[in-house]
């Protein structure tokens, strides 16, 4: 579990590193901040297009071997990002990173489900999901601080070095798992598309897209928002991101504590709290102490959501479609990440940065409504694995 958590930490840090270094990258490569924001869209878009096909093409291969290969490609992608002389070369490096990231999540997303019994799934996902939270607590703020101090390129180079070390740790410590479905005597395998839990899996993915889309159209541009409406010095951005990340760690603890006992209530409460916190940020941005408290609440509430949604996906999917559901979870999340960064960039250029939190809230309201509708639908007898 800790090995998986460390891998997720590095992966998420690499994916979101441009958000903290957005002004620095834009200045050196002489492009707009919205163009740098598109690096997140390119990365996520590559994941969207590649995660499911790569998951299908590699379903017969050892999960552990795939993780090791993916980590090696991921390290190369970060080295290329660190060396990229132009914006176009940096985009190419992000495409390679996105290919590795898509398969990484398709495999790692379901790995913990193969290691523990189902009644411990929520806690196991919270543990491994701690790597993602730690990325926001330490990885992205530290990478941002390094980028501001000695250049954004070194930040990517350090990520590459960490990935190489983790590849060796993975080869030594990560246990191999059996990911096939054992059929009973005389049982005939059915096509995955006919599995009765597929509609519910799709519904969970759509909820994830809505909630994460709203979040990422704002969070991708958090650095310029902090400098602009909130009025924070650029040198203090890493500290605010650290505040957000620490809050996310607290949210993850709450998700692990309450998620198994009260899964639906915890999910609804977290989304509602995200909505209120972002509304306060948008309304009182110029009152810095209020904005910082709201950012802490935002981080805590959203920090719980990925593990809650992933646990919901794994509980919803039958064993037969669990790996595919993990790939779909990754695809849905990255549709939201890439789409959010793209939509946020359009809004930034067309209407200004102040509109971002309010659009975030609007989309989150729709996501919250869908959570309630799907919960009622599932209670009325739809199959859950």
């Amino acid at each position: 579990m800790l090995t998986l958590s460390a891998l997720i930490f590095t992966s998420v840090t690499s994916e979101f590193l441009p958000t903290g270094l957005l002004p620095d990258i834009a200045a050196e490569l002489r492009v707009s901040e919205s163009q740098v924001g598109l690096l997140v869209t390119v990365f996520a878009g590559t994941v969207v297009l590649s995660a499911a096909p790569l998951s299908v093409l590699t379903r017969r291969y050892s999960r552990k071997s795939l993780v090791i290969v993916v980590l090696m490609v991921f390290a190369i992608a970060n080295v290329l990002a660190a060396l990229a002389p132009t914006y176009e070369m940096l985009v190419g490096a992000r495409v390679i990173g996105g290919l590795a990231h898509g398969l990484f999540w398709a495999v790692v997303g379901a790995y913990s489900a193969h290691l523990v019994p189902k009644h411990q799934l929520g806690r196991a996902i919270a543990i491994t999901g701690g790597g993602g939270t730690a990325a926001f607590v330490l990885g992205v703020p530290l990478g941002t601080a390094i980028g501001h101090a000695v250049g954004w390129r070194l930040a990517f180079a350090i990520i590459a070095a960490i990935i190489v070390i983790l590849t060796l740790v993975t080869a030594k410590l990560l246990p191999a798992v059996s990911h096939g479905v054992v059929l009973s005597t005389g049982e005939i395998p059915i096509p995955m598309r006919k599995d009765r839990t597929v509609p519910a899996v799709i519904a969970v993915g759509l909820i994830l897209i809505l909630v994460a889309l709203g979040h990422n159209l704002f969070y991708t541009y958090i650095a310029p928002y902090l400098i602009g409406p909130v009025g924070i010095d650029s040198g203090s951005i890493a500290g605010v991101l650290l505040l957000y990340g620490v809050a996310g760690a607290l949210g993850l603890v709450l998700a692990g504590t309450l998620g198994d006992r009260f899964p639906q209530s915890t999910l609804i409460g977290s989304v509602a709290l995200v909505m209120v916190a972002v509304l306060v940020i948008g309304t009182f941005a110029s009152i810095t102490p209020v904005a910082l408290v709201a950012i802490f609440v935002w981080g805590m509430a959203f920090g719980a959501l990925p593990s809650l949604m992933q646990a919901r996906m794994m509980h919803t999917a039958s064993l037969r479609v669990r790996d595919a559901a993990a790939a779909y979870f990754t695809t849905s999340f990255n549709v939201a990440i890439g789409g959010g960064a793209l939509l946020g960039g359009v809004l930034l250029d067309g209407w200004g940065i102040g509109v971002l939190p309010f659009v975030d809230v609007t989309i989150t309201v729709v996501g919250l409504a869908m959570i309630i509708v799907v919960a009622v639908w599932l209670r009325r007898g739809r199959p859950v694995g």
Side-chain angles (χ1 to χ4, degrees):
M1 292 296 150
L2 293 177
T3 301
L4 291 173
S5 184
L7 297 178
I8 292 171
F9 165 83
T10 310
S11 175
V12 173
T13 297
S14 177
E15 180 173 14
F16 285 97
L17 191 57
T19 61
L21 298 174
L22 193 148
D24 305 76
I25 297 173
E28 180 175 336
L29 297 182
R30 297 182 181 180
V31 296
S32 68
E33 291 181 340
S34 60
Q35 283 180 284
V36 178
L38 286 176
L39 292 175
V40 179
T41 299
V42 167
F43 191 99
T46 305
V47 173
V48 169
L49 295 175
S50 65
L54 288 177
S55 175
V56 172
L57 290 173
T58 60
R59 66 183 182 272
R60 299 183 182 276
Y61 295 96
S62 160
R63 304 290 93 181
K64 180 175 178 177
S65 298
L66 282 177
V67 171
I68 292 171
V69 170
V70 163
L71 289 174
M72 293 171 62
V73 175
F74 213 12
I76 292 171
N78 279 275
V79 169
L80 293 176
L83 298 175
T86 65
Y87 175 76
E88 291 74 18
M89 293 292 289
L90 185 54
V91 169
R94 296 294 283 178
V95 169
I96 295 173
L99 289 170
H101 191 77
L103 184 54
F104 170 85
W105 274 105
V107 177
V108 172
Y111 216 102
S112 58
H114 294 303
L115 292 173
V116 299
K118 193 167 185 177
H119 70 275
Q120 294 180 342
L121 188 55
R123 184 167 297 180
I125 289 175
I127 292 171
T128 56
T133 300
F136 290 107
V137 173
L138 181 62
V140 176
L142 183 58
T144 300
I146 292 172
H148 287 321
V150 296
W152 60 269
R153 297 180 185 277
L154 183 59
F156 279 104
I158 291 173
I159 289 293
I162 293 173
I163 292 172
V164 170
I165 294 171
L166 286 177
T167 302
L168 299 176
V169 173
T170 299
K172 179 69 175 178
L173 298 181
L174 189 66
V177 294
S178 174
H179 62 287
V181 178
V182 180
L183 300 178
S184 303
T185 302
E187 184 180 359
I188 300 174
I190 62 172
M192 193 174 297
R193 66 180 181 278
K194 293 185 178 181
D195 188 283
R196 297 193 313 137
T197 64
V198 167
V201 166
I202 293 173
V204 173
L206 292 176
I207 291 171
L208 177 62
I209 289 173
L210 285 171
V211 174
L213 176 69
H215 174 79
N216 283 284
L217 75 86
F218 184 27
Y219 183 80
T220 300
Y221 302 95
I222 191 63
Y225 190 88
L226 290 173
I227 294 172
V230 180
I232 289 177
D233 183 80
S234 61
S236 301
I237 291 176
V240 179
L241 293 178
L242 178 61
L243 175 72
Y244 176 92
V246 169
L250 178 59
L252 183 66
V253 171
L254 293 175
T257 303
L258 302 175
D260 281 336
R261 297 175 61 193
F262 312 105
Q264 198 63 40
S265 299
T266 306
L267 179 59
I268 290 174
S270 296
V271 174
L273 197 56
V274 165
M275 189 173 61
V276 172
V278 174
L279 182 60
V280 170
I281 294 170
T283 305
F284 301 101
S286 61
I287 307 176
T288 303
V290 174
L292 291 177
V293 170
I295 286 171
F296 182 88
V297 175
W298 180 33
M300 181 180 66
F302 194 84
L305 285 179
S307 65
L308 290 172
M309 291 299 300
Q310 190 176 0
R312 173 50 47 198
M313 182 69 85
M314 291 297 100
H315 278 297
T316 299
S318 69
L319 180 60
R320 186 188 311 277
V321 300
R322 190 170 277 172
D323 281 358
Y328 180 54
F329 184 90
T330 301
T331 300
S332 299
F333 217 146
N334 281 276
V335 164
I337 292 170
L342 179 60
L343 178 58
V346 172
L347 294 170
L348 175 63
D349 290 340
W351 287 272
I353 201 163
V355 75
L356 297 185
F358 299 106
V359 178
D360 179 354
V361 170
T362 302
I363 296 174
T364 304
V365 169
V366 179
L368 180 59
M370 188 171 178
I371 289 172
I372 296 171
V373 169
V374 170
V376 172
W377 175 56
L378 291 176
R379 278 201 300 268
R380 289 180 176 176
R382 291 292 179 179
V384 178

